[in-house]
Amino acid sequence: MKMFEEIRELFGMILDHSDLIQNVKLSVKMKNGADIKYAFDRKKWERRLVKEQKTRPMSATFNAVINIVGIVASIAVLVLLSILFGPLGMPAHLVVHIMYGSLLILYFFFSTMYHFMDETYAVRQFFFMLTSTLQFIIVGVTFISINYEFIGGNLGPLLYFAMVIIGIVGLFLAGRNTVLSRKVSTVFLIVMGWLWTPGMMNLLQNMSLFDTILIFTGCVFYTMWAIAANREKESEHDFIAPDLYLLLSIIPFFTVYMHMPPLLLTGL
């Protein structure tokens, strides 16, 4: 019959283009009352295929562990900074440092979700987008107090205004998601991480050489974090330990915040 010849041709076309098929639903009612039903969902099939044939990359597991450690460390930073600044009656600084600790927690949590999920989950890319956005916000918040307290005159606010503009443009370029725009946004992120250094001049005079080395080490870690995150974007797969550098940066920047209360109280 011609009708069944058309069905045969249709199924032949489906098989010839199987790599393009996203969903298939078939339902046949027989005269004897029997039903033949078939359904195909590519996303579900790919997830099942990943579970059956693909072992979890060690890089993904390692990154997830690093992120969990980062969550714990961020919670500790949030608690310690709240204890440190709370009794000093400095609400503005307390709010900034609560923001810093909270953003770190969010970043490591979103990154954990990203690295735990298989590549076939669409929501995985959403978590990756959140971490890319939080990169710029974390760098900006890290230096709010230092820029305003330790840079004389109007230079502090001007530098921070420049940092905000660079961050907005960097986020826009990161959203374009082309090779060139990602590279330029990475450069902008690195610039943000070093733009605050003029504010350290007064602070460094009251700190030991070891503490000074730690502070600039923090800037280096921010740079390495930005570069590693960009390499992960380019590969579209898990890159080993991009967030390890952010985790390491917590130590030197926490050192900065630990030294700020006595310096603020002495009127510097």
Side-chain angles (χ1 to χ4, degrees), residues 20-90:
L20 301 176
I21 296 174
Q22 192 68 28
N23 293 285
V24 173
K25 289 185 179 180
L26 175 66
S27 179
V28 179
K29 183 77 173 179
M30 309 294 287
K31 284 187 176 181
N32 60 5
D35 289 331
I36 300 175
K37 293 184 178 181
Y38 175 78
F40 171 78
D41 187 305
R42 177 171 292 277
K43 289 184 178 179
K44 292 182 179 179
W45 176 76
E46 288 177 346
R47 291 171 190 167
R48 185 172 65 249
L49 193 65
V50 167
K51 292 179 180 179
E52 292 176 353
Q53 299 182 1
K54 183 179 178 181
T55 58
R56 184 173 179 81
M58 285 300 296
S59 59
T61 303
F62 181 73
N63 286 338
V65 171
I66 289 295
N67 293 139
I68 292 173
V69 174
I71 292 174
V72 175
S74 302
I75 292 173
V77 165
L78 179 59
V79 172
L80 291 173
L81 289 177
S82 299
I83 294 173
L84 182 67
F85 279 85
L88 297 177
M90 299 176 180

Side-chain angles (χ1 to χ4, degrees), residues 66-205:
I66 289 295
N67 293 139
I68 292 173
V69 174
I71 292 174
V72 175
S74 302
I75 292 173
V77 165
L78 179 59
V79 172
L80 291 173
L81 289 177
S82 299
I83 294 173
L84 182 67
F85 279 85
L88 297 177
M90 299 176 180
H93 293 86
L94 181 61
V95 169
V96 170
H97 299 321
I98 289 176
M99 289 173 59
Y100 172 70
S102 300
L103 287 169
L104 287 176
I105 294 172
L106 286 175
Y107 178 88
F108 283 117
F109 172 75
F110 291 145
S111 191
T112 300
M113 297 300 294
Y114 169 77
H115 288 115
F116 263 131
M117 290 183 175
D118 292 326
E119 295 178 6
T120 54
Y121 285 90
V123 72
R124 187 175 189 261
Q125 190 61 31
F126 174 70
F127 285 118
F128 190 71
M129 180 186 69
L130 289 176
T131 57
S132 299
T133 302
L134 282 175
Q135 274 189 299
F136 288 89
I137 299 175
I138 287 173
V139 173
V141 170
T142 301
F143 307 127
I144 288 178
S145 295
I146 295 171
N147 270 345
Y148 275 90
E149 294 294 342
F150 299 106
I151 301 181
N154 296 322
L155 182 58
L158 287 174
L159 282 178
Y160 202 78
F161 177 75
M163 186 179 291
V164 170
I165 296 300
I166 291 173
I168 292 174
V169 177
L171 280 172
F172 171 76
L173 292 172
R176 295 290 301 276
N177 201 31
T178 65
V179 174
L180 179 60
S181 66
R182 287 197 303 264
K183 289 183 181 299
V184 175
S185 69
T186 299
V187 172
F188 278 22
L189 185 62
I190 294 171
V191 171
M192 286 178 65
W194 289 95
L195 191 63
W196 70 292
T197 49
M200 294 304 301
M201 295 304 103
N202 286 335
L203 192 59
L204 295 180
Q205 295 174 9

Side-chain angles (χ1 to χ4, degrees), residues 215-232:
I215 292 168
F216 282 98
T217 300
C219 291
V220 173
F221 283 145
Y222 266 10
T223 299
M224 296 173 70
W225 175 41
I227 294 172
N230 181 66
R231 290 186 63 184
E232 187 173 46

